[in-house]
Amino acid sequence: MDRDDVTLRPVRAEDAAAIQAIYAPIVAETIISFEEEPPSVAEMAARIAATLPAYPYLVAERGGQVVGYAYASQHRARAAYRKSVDVTVYVAESARRAGVGQALYRALLDDLRRRGFHAAFAGIALPNPGSVGLHESVGFTPVGVFREVGFKFGQWRDVGWWQCLLQGPAPDHG
């Protein structure tokens, strides 16, 4: 797959089923998500609807099919955190390592800059070298590790945190 055959656009309500189909095996089969049961299509639709009033939510399409998505969400509830966001990206297994995640993140981070957000944070269940590489390729830097913060598949899991400062000169996407 080539990045040139991927189209990015804002999410639509009818994308919930495709998003759920990408996310469900990640929940059920990996430590990447700390959810233990895949959410239903209706739950994904509700999450999309809850995100859109305040934060961007994008999808990547190839051949009319959703192959990835990225969105921002509230970092913390206190007012002083209002210019910081958490960000997430998921890519269908068939579209991984083809630039979809980078394209989604670059567009999402640019949108967040335009909206005046200052910092984006990403939590990565460890180990996950692919996700670490993706985040660092679009400007995230590591800021710390929460040791044994989640328990999934019978083991304690660490989560690394990465940060991308959004204001100031835009990064070179070369």
Side-chain angles (χ1 to χ4, degrees):
M1 186 183 97
D2 182 320
R3 254 187 279 194
D4 295 336
D5 65 355
V6 172
T7 302
L8 304 182
R9 63 167 173 79
V11 71
R12 297 188 292 248
E14 60 265 26
D15 295 323
I19 288 169
Q20 192 274 348
I22 292 168
Y23 188 56
I26 292 168
V27 171
E29 301 166 12
T30 77
I31 64 162
I32 293 170
S33 168
F34 277 8
E35 288 197 68
E36 294 179 333
E37 297 294 326
S40 67
V41 173
E43 174 60 23
M44 294 307 290
R47 292 178 186 185
I48 291 166
T51 299
L52 288 175
Y55 304 101
Y57 199 129
L58 305 172
V59 298
E61 283 185 325
R62 179 182 64 196
Q65 302 288 346
V66 174
V67 296
Y69 64 98
Y71 62 91
S73 59
Q74 182 180 44
H75 177 63
R76 305 275 296 185
R78 303 282 189 254
Y81 292 111
R82 69 186 165 276
K83 293 295 185 180
S84 294
V85 294
D86 287 349
V87 294
T88 302
V89 65
Y90 291 105
V91 176
E93 188 171 358
S94 64
R96 291 184 190 147
R97 302 203 189 318
V100 174
Q102 285 184 338
L104 280 164
Y105 255 158
R106 287 180 177 144
L108 184 74
L109 296 173
D110 286 345
D111 189 328
L112 291 166
R113 283 183 188 93
R114 285 191 301 274
R115 293 178 189 226
F117 286 99
H118 180 73
F121 295 90
I124 302 171
L126 301 173
N128 190 336
S131 187
V132 169
L134 167 62
H135 286 84
E136 291 182 356
S137 76
V138 295
F140 283 81
T141 57
V143 293
V145 176
F146 292 175
R147 302 273 179 219
E148 299 184 8
V149 69
F151 192 80
K152 189 169 181 184
F153 299 144
Q155 292 185 4
W156 286 104
R157 308 294 177 170
D158 296 346
V159 172
W161 283 92
W162 274 254
Q163 177 183 34
C164 180
L165 295 177
L166 300 168
Q167 299 306 315
D172 178 15
H173 296 311

